[in-house]
Amino acid sequence: MDRNLTNLLKWGIENSVPSSAPAANGTTAVTAHPSDSTATPSSTAATEPTTTTATAATAATTTGSNLNPELLSALFGGPSEAELMRAAMEVLTDPAATLDNKLIAFDNFEQLIESLDNANNLEPLALWTPLLSLLAHDEAEMRRMAAWCVGTAVQNNARSQERLLAMGGVPPLVSLATKEGEDDAVRRKAIYALSSAVRNYQPAMDAAVGELKKGGHDGHGKGDKVDAADMDAVDGVIGWLKEKVNGTA
């Protein structure tokens, strides 16, 4: 049996309410059927309104259920996390949406891709291209959030690191991180994204170092080859970029 269905069955059994149960005085309190007009409520529970779908969903989450959010959403009619990711990106790429609404959508999107599964879903959902395009948005806050989301997606995630590189995401991040006159907050998030992208992933590290050298930013003192598995060496490059933002490099 499917694991989710097994969990659902287990949750249903654990949280089911029997039609009759021993009352505190030892008698049996019977809950009247709604259609029985002659029945007299024997307890407060009998007069309470039927649990709504939303309340049931909340109860499932607050009773320590091990049902996953996607299953609960399917059961109670809510959108899946994949649908939420698509919806957020629609807002982010909608020219008519206000900046405030876009930033709310970005915040929700970033929280969703903190999940490794959701981060890996960026590829099948075709969301890498629109996300990377937002690195060039006119609004600094949008560029900052785009870089933040990239960093979240690739952190400790080899599959997403590979996709970022394949989609050409390293050059715009290097450009943002080193661009004179760029908002400092944007540059810091771009550096965070680069740090996440290159650690333990040599192809991305090689691409980043190549872009730095191409832009005349080879003063990190690590030469043309930096070992992506050597955290001290990686920290040296990332630290040098941070110093450039702070004006100390």
Side-chain angles (χ1 to χ4, degrees), residues 88-104:
M89 189 56 71
E90 286 176 9
V91 174
L92 292 171
T93 54
D94 181 2
T98 66
L99 179 60
D100 284 345
N101 285 342
K102 287 177 183 285
L103 293 177
I104 290 170

Side-chain angles (χ1 to χ4, degrees), residues 54-176:
T55 307
T58 303
T61 354
T62 56
T63 53
S65 163
N66 60 354
L67 300 180
N68 65 52
E70 291 246 2
L71 179 57
L72 288 174
S73 293
L75 286 171
F76 299 116
S80 68
E81 293 190 350
E83 289 169 330
L84 290 173
M85 289 168 65
R86 282 199 194 98
M89 189 56 71
E90 286 176 9
V91 174
L92 292 171
T93 54
D94 181 2
T98 66
L99 179 60
D100 284 345
N101 285 342
K102 287 177 183 285
L103 293 177
I104 290 170
F106 242 146
D107 186 56
N108 292 336
F109 189 80
E110 194 276 333
Q111 291 182 56
L112 283 165
I113 61 173
E114 286 177 354
S115 157
L116 187 69
D117 288 340
N118 287 339
N120 288 335
N121 269 340
L122 288 171
E123 178 188 0
L125 294 174
L127 296 179
W128 270 115
T129 295
L131 175 59
L132 292 176
S133 73
L134 294 170
L135 292 171
H137 199 279
D138 291 340
E139 293 285 347
E141 269 298 282
M142 293 290 287
R143 298 194 298 275
R144 183 182 75 87
M145 288 300 299
W148 189 355
C149 286
V150 170
T152 298
V154 300
Q155 191 171 48
N156 301 316
N157 186 343
R159 178 175 164 185
S160 286
Q161 287 175 313
E162 184 276 330
R163 291 317 304 161
L164 173 67
L165 180 64
M167 297 299 292
V170 171
L173 288 174
V174 171
S175 177
L176 284 179

